[in-house]
Amino acid sequence: MPDAAPPGFTPSERTGPFIDLIGPLHALTDDRGIVLGLRADQRHTNARGFVHGAVIAALCDLTLGRNAAMRTDPPTPLVTTTLTTDFIGAAQAGAWLEATATVQRTGRRLAFAQAVITADGRTVAQASAVFAVTKQE
Amino acid sequence: MPAAIADLMPILRQVLIDGTPLHRHLSLQIVDQDGQVAVRLPDAPSTKNHLGTQGAPALFAAGDCACATAVIAAFGIERVRTSRAVVGEAHTRFRRPAPGAVLARGSIVNARAAVATFDADGRIAMDVTAELSAEDGDAVGDMSLTWHLTRVDPTDA
């Protein structure tokens, strides 16, 4: 089994029940923003042995949401309203999945962002999402 | 339970639960809901988001699994087993929070015509949809997947 994460990534400090379920999730912040990564394993596969689309979608959703939320100070609380994912290629267990996001706008009511997911450096999906701003806690 | 669904349930569970590690990991269930096949996402803390409602990724998985039940129900397991199935695009709308268990039901518009096209051409690209609802029936979201099903030549290595 390859190392859990490439150099520079550290275990994500922000966690939650679902991340605990599919993780560990790793994070890196650089000029691309918050980059999230996950080492795919057997838990993440579909009936054909490839990484399940829902795992790709999960990584998209988490990366898009975190980058859109952190666009403001303090962070804006968001909830996903739409997620569109184009599956470009397949990934197998053992692959390093990495997601980067570009945030178009985080406004008072909505946020918009796009993401690209790679598996061992090869693009396997692109996604866009719209988030609704939830009540400030 | 109608006979057709009773026959289908073991196959769906074998392929989509027993044979799909992620679905087992998320504890998805395939259930008979009023005579229709549905995928049940249980009310469990592990699939919830920071608001305490079902998270988008878990809802995605349930909807995706429901779409697969619709494809297997329409095409039959033998056609699916001898084909390459690829999902090209997924569009998911999350309409309202789902604090409890969720049911996902998949369907194919004009499934009979889709099967006829596949039988004639050996391939088809089709939209498969899923409705996501709370167990009380309130809609919580929907998704649409573009499935590409291509018959595989058994002589191909």
Side-chain angles (χ1 to χ4, degrees):
Chain A
M1 173 66 82
D3 290 342
F9 280 88
T10 57
S12 174
E13 291 178 5
R14 287 194 62 189
T15 187
F18 187 79
I19 294 171
D20 292 342
L21 186 67
I22 68 164
L25 194 66
H26 292 79
L28 166 73
T29 301
D30 62 14
D31 57 358
R32 296 172 293 172
I34 301 167
V35 182
L36 296 183
L38 178 71
R39 180 68 67 187
D41 62 38
Q42 199 60 33
R43 296 170 300 159
H44 303 130
T45 56
N46 61 22
R48 294 167 58 225
F50 294 110
V51 175
H52 197 296
V55 173
I56 305 278
L59 200 52
C60 290
D61 182 63
L62 293 165
T63 309
L64 290 161
R66 281 199 193 177
N67 279 277
M70 298 302 285
R71 186 77 175 265
T72 59
D73 185 15
T76 303
L78 301 170
V79 63
T80 316
T81 59
T82 66
L83 176 66
T84 299
T85 313
D86 299 314
F87 297 100
I88 297 163
Q92 293 187 311
W96 173 251
L97 306 176
E98 190 171 304
T100 54
T102 304
V103 178
Q104 275 74 47
R105 181 169 188 264
T106 299
R108 290 185 183 179
R109 300 175 69 174
L110 296 171
F112 304 84
Q114 295 177 314
V116 173
I117 310 291
T118 61
D120 293 332
R122 183 174 44 86
T123 300
V124 292
Q126 60 188 14
S128 62
V130 180
F131 298 89
V133 176
T134 61
K135 211 174 195 177
Q136 296 281 352
E137 293 167 2
Chain B
M1 186 188 303
I5 290 187
D7 293 343
L8 189 57
M9 287 299 222
I11 295 166
L12 294 176
R13 288 182 180 130
Q14 180 189 25
V15 174
L16 296 173
I17 305 296
D18 301 342
T20 305
L22 184 76
H23 295 167
R24 284 201 312 273
H25 194 58
L26 297 178
S27 300
L28 294 184
Q29 302 161 343
I30 293 180
V31 298
D32 172 19
Q33 189 71 18
D34 303 326
Q36 286 190 313
V37 175
V39 174
R40 184 174 185 270
L41 175 65
D43 181 6
S46 58
T47 55
K48 303 274 181 78
N49 59 21
H50 59 291
L51 300 174
T53 60
Q54 296 284 9
L59 292 169
F60 183 105
D64 180 83
C65 184
C67 289
T69 68
V71 172
I72 293 172
F75 284 78
I77 191 62
E78 284 313 312
R79 283 190 185 88
V80 174
R81 279 190 174 138
T82 55
S83 301
R84 186 175 66 247
V86 174
V87 173
E89 181 187 326
H91 183 68
T92 314
R93 293 191 304 169
F94 305 98
R95 292 193 218 155
R96 51 173 293 189
V102 167
L103 292 168
R105 294 178 183 83
S107 63
I108 302 171
V109 176
N110 207 345
R112 193 170 294 181
V115 174
T117 299
F118 176 81
D119 285 343
D121 300 344
R123 62 174 60 212
I124 188 168
M126 59 189 168
D127 289 336
V128 187
T129 60
E131 294 290 330
L132 302 161
S133 61
E135 286 193 304
D136 63 8
D138 282 352
V140 298
D142 56 73
M143 74 188 300
S144 175
L145 304 182
T146 307
W147 269 66
H148 299 264
L149 205 59
T150 306
R151 189 183 303 135
V152 175
D153 185 340
T155 60
D156 283 352

